[in-house]
Amino acid sequence: MAEENKEGILCPICGNGRIKVSPDNSYIHCEFKKVEKQGKEFVDVGECKFRIFFNQSKSIGRTLNRAEVKKLLNGEGVKNAKGDTLYLDKENEAFYTRVEWAEKKPSTDLL
Ligand SMILES: [Zn+2]
């Protein structure tokens, strides 16, 4: 359960940083997340790596709003029209989300 008070919501990963919204409104992140460009790559150099993008078109096919991101932080699921549900996943350090698909599609034969 994410703690919330008038100073903001605390990071579910490190428990210390406050959750911030990026200047371009494209993602939320822990205030202790820091990325540096090293050569051609961006590398995490901060105390915490937590970040979730509002745009979840590659997972549940749409963009989240702020209320939905808060739901994720509280451990609640966010559904799309098909019933697929997006959850916070603290173990997934790449995206910090996981999807439970409404309909499991069986594997098919390799012909
Ligand atoms: Zn954090």
PDB file of all heavy atoms in Angstrom, residues 10 24-25 38 48 50 83 92 96 109:
ATOM      1  N   LEU A  10       4.607   8.134  -1.416  1.00  0.00           N
ATOM      2  CA  LEU A  10       5.963   7.593  -1.295  1.00  0.00           C
ATOM      3  C   LEU A  10       6.187   6.456  -2.284  1.00  0.00           C
ATOM      4  O   LEU A  10       5.279   5.703  -2.626  1.00  0.00           O
ATOM      5  CB  LEU A  10       6.208   7.094   0.129  1.00  0.00           C
ATOM      6  CG  LEU A  10       6.427   8.186   1.173  1.00  0.00           C
ATOM      7  CD1 LEU A  10       6.562   7.567   2.562  1.00  0.00           C
ATOM      8  CD2 LEU A  10       7.654   9.031   0.850  1.00  0.00           C
ATOM      9  N   ASP A  24       7.346  16.449 -18.901  1.00  0.00           N
ATOM     10  CA  ASP A  24       6.533  16.310 -20.118  1.00  0.00           C
ATOM     11  C   ASP A  24       5.306  15.425 -19.889  1.00  0.00           C
ATOM     12  O   ASP A  24       4.630  15.033 -20.843  1.00  0.00           O
ATOM     13  CB  ASP A  24       7.371  15.753 -21.273  1.00  0.00           C
ATOM     14  CG  ASP A  24       7.909  14.357 -20.978  1.00  0.00           C
ATOM     15  OD1 ASP A  24       7.653  13.833 -19.868  1.00  0.00           O
ATOM     16  OD2 ASP A  24       8.578  13.789 -21.850  1.00  0.00           O
ATOM     17  N   ASN A  25       5.020  15.101 -18.623  1.00  0.00           N
ATOM     18  CA  ASN A  25       3.841  14.294 -18.287  1.00  0.00           C
ATOM     19  C   ASN A  25       3.837  12.919 -18.939  1.00  0.00           C
ATOM     20  O   ASN A  25       2.780  12.347 -19.161  1.00  0.00           O
ATOM     21  CB  ASN A  25       2.544  15.019 -18.689  1.00  0.00           C
ATOM     22  CG  ASN A  25       2.072  15.935 -17.591  1.00  0.00           C
ATOM     23  OD1 ASN A  25       1.764  15.497 -16.479  1.00  0.00           O
ATOM     24  ND2 ASN A  25       2.050  17.229 -17.881  1.00  0.00           N
ATOM     25  N   GLN A  38      25.552   8.015 -20.823  1.00  0.00           N
ATOM     26  CA  GLN A  38      26.939   7.566 -20.879  1.00  0.00           C
ATOM     27  C   GLN A  38      27.168   6.995 -22.266  1.00  0.00           C
ATOM     28  O   GLN A  38      26.680   5.913 -22.581  1.00  0.00           O
ATOM     29  CB  GLN A  38      27.211   6.512 -19.800  1.00  0.00           C
ATOM     30  CG  GLN A  38      27.061   7.093 -18.393  1.00  0.00           C
ATOM     31  CD  GLN A  38      27.318   6.088 -17.290  1.00  0.00           C
ATOM     32  OE1 GLN A  38      27.622   4.936 -17.545  1.00  0.00           O
ATOM     33  NE2 GLN A  38      27.174   6.533 -16.049  1.00  0.00           N
ATOM     34  N   CYS A  48      17.435   4.962  -6.707  1.00  0.00           N
ATOM     35  CA  CYS A  48      16.222   4.193  -6.976  1.00  0.00           C
ATOM     36  C   CYS A  48      15.939   4.256  -8.476  1.00  0.00           C
ATOM     37  O   CYS A  48      16.268   5.243  -9.127  1.00  0.00           O
ATOM     38  CB  CYS A  48      15.063   4.795  -6.181  1.00  0.00           C
ATOM     39  SG  CYS A  48      13.517   3.890  -6.329  1.00  0.00           S
ATOM     40  N   PHE A  50      12.801   3.510  -9.855  1.00  0.00           N
ATOM     41  CA  PHE A  50      11.370   3.376 -10.112  1.00  0.00           C
ATOM     42  C   PHE A  50      10.825   4.403 -11.110  1.00  0.00           C
ATOM     43  O   PHE A  50      11.010   5.612 -10.957  1.00  0.00           O
ATOM     44  CB  PHE A  50      10.589   3.486  -8.803  1.00  0.00           C
ATOM     45  CG  PHE A  50       9.113   3.266  -8.986  1.00  0.00           C
ATOM     46  CD1 PHE A  50       8.635   2.045  -9.394  1.00  0.00           C
ATOM     47  CD2 PHE A  50       8.214   4.299  -8.755  1.00  0.00           C
ATOM     48  CE1 PHE A  50       7.275   1.833  -9.582  1.00  0.00           C
ATOM     49  CE2 PHE A  50       6.850   4.090  -8.927  1.00  0.00           C
ATOM     50  CZ  PHE A  50       6.388   2.861  -9.339  1.00  0.00           C
ATOM     51  N   GLY A  83     -10.601  -6.441 -20.679  1.00  0.00           N
ATOM     52  CA  GLY A  83     -10.538  -7.047 -19.351  1.00  0.00           C
ATOM     53  C   GLY A  83      -9.138  -7.445 -18.932  1.00  0.00           C
ATOM     54  O   GLY A  83      -8.948  -8.028 -17.865  1.00  0.00           O
ATOM     55  N   ASN A  92       9.839  -6.371 -11.471  1.00  0.00           N
ATOM     56  CA  ASN A  92      10.145  -6.107 -12.876  1.00  0.00           C
ATOM     57  C   ASN A  92      10.850  -4.760 -13.017  1.00  0.00           C
ATOM     58  O   ASN A  92      10.213  -3.719 -13.190  1.00  0.00           O
ATOM     59  CB  ASN A  92       8.832  -6.128 -13.676  1.00  0.00           C
ATOM     60  CG  ASN A  92       9.029  -5.785 -15.134  1.00  0.00           C
ATOM     61  OD1 ASN A  92      10.132  -5.477 -15.586  1.00  0.00           O
ATOM     62  ND2 ASN A  92       7.957  -5.826 -15.890  1.00  0.00           N
ATOM     63  N   TYR A  96       8.282  -2.171 -14.151  1.00  0.00           N
ATOM     64  CA  TYR A  96       7.550  -2.120 -12.883  1.00  0.00           C
ATOM     65  C   TYR A  96       6.054  -2.375 -13.048  1.00  0.00           C
ATOM     66  O   TYR A  96       5.241  -1.896 -12.270  1.00  0.00           O
ATOM     67  CB  TYR A  96       7.809  -0.809 -12.135  1.00  0.00           C
ATOM     68  CG  TYR A  96       9.221  -0.736 -11.604  1.00  0.00           C
ATOM     69  CD1 TYR A  96      10.175   0.057 -12.234  1.00  0.00           C
ATOM     70  CD2 TYR A  96       9.612  -1.482 -10.502  1.00  0.00           C
ATOM     71  CE1 TYR A  96      11.480   0.101 -11.779  1.00  0.00           C
ATOM     72  CE2 TYR A  96      10.919  -1.442 -10.030  1.00  0.00           C
ATOM     73  CZ  TYR A  96      11.842  -0.655 -10.675  1.00  0.00           C
ATOM     74  OH  TYR A  96      13.126  -0.611 -10.221  1.00  0.00           O
ATOM     75  N   ASP A 109       0.499 -25.101 -33.195  1.00  0.00           N
ATOM     76  CA  ASP A 109       1.512 -25.980 -33.770  1.00  0.00           C
ATOM     77  C   ASP A 109       2.454 -25.209 -34.686  1.00  0.00           C
ATOM     78  O   ASP A 109       2.028 -24.325 -35.420  1.00  0.00           O
ATOM     79  CB  ASP A 109       0.839 -27.090 -34.593  1.00  0.00           C
ATOM     80  CG  ASP A 109       0.066 -28.040 -33.711  1.00  0.00           C
ATOM     81  OD1 ASP A 109       0.539 -28.323 -32.576  1.00  0.00           O
ATOM     82  OD2 ASP A 109      -1.014 -28.491 -34.123  1.00  0.00           O
TER      83      ASP A 109
END
